[in-house]
Amino acid sequence: MMENLEEFHIPEDALEKIKDPDLLKEQIREGKSLMEILGYNDRRMEVFSQAAETYFYEQNYEKASEAFTFLTALDPNTSQYWLGLGMTEQLLGEYHGALLAYTMVLINQPQNPLVHYHIGNCYQAILDEDNARLSFE
């Protein structure tokens, strides 16, 4: 999967931070994201995000899906990552996965019309016309 993608390699010193289960539990209880636990800053996340978007725009949807999944694991509160994952999954025909990702966007952006449009399209693709209609309203 992503192990051959150098820009998504997690350095050994960062991995050491998550090997101690007690320390990891403590940091999670403190509300830290995996991004914070690993010590990644916004610049590093932007590099990851740009790589994911490049895969998407190059229509390399399998790698884009892996990259956006990686991003959502590191920082599950960033709607942009979930939107990218949803759009990628939708283009791969993975409509249930896309619906899950789009739902995560709606947590932070419940009135986002683009997300409701994509959700409606996914429901149409799985032949759920009732939910599709609700999404388009």
Side-chain angles (χ1 to χ4, degrees), residues 85-95 98 102 118 121-122:
L85 180 59
M87 292 170 59
T88 302
E89 292 293 291
Q90 185 175 357
L91 289 166
L92 288 169
E94 298 293 337
Y95 301 111
Y102 290 141
H118 285 302
N121 286 331
C122 288

Side-chain angles (χ1 to χ4, degrees), residues 8-28 32-40 70 73-74:
F8 293 99
H9 175 74
I10 300 174
E12 190 61 38
D13 62 324
L15 287 175
E16 286 298 319
K17 295 178 181 179
I18 61 175
K19 286 186 178 178
D20 180 346
D22 293 328
L23 179 61
L24 185 59
K25 287 177 190 175
E26 178 183 325
Q27 291 177 336
I28 290 170
K32 291 185 179 179
S33 68
L34 186 55
M35 172 188 142
E36 295 167 317
I37 293 169
L38 292 175
Y40 288 167
F70 180 76
L74 288 175

Side-chain angles (χ1 to χ4, degrees), residues 37-55:
I37 293 169
L38 292 175
Y40 288 167
N41 59 25
D42 290 340
R43 176 68 191 121
R44 183 72 174 156
M45 294 301 288
E46 182 62 28
V47 169
F48 291 149
S49 181
Q50 287 174 355
E53 290 172 12
T54 297
Y55 290 135

Side-chain angles (χ1 to χ4, degrees), residues 79 102-113 115-116 119:
S79 296
Y102 290 141
T103 299
M104 294 301 293
V105 177
L106 290 179
I107 290 171
N108 293 318
Q109 301 175 0
Q111 302 304 319
N112 185 325
V115 177
H116 287 282
I119 288 172

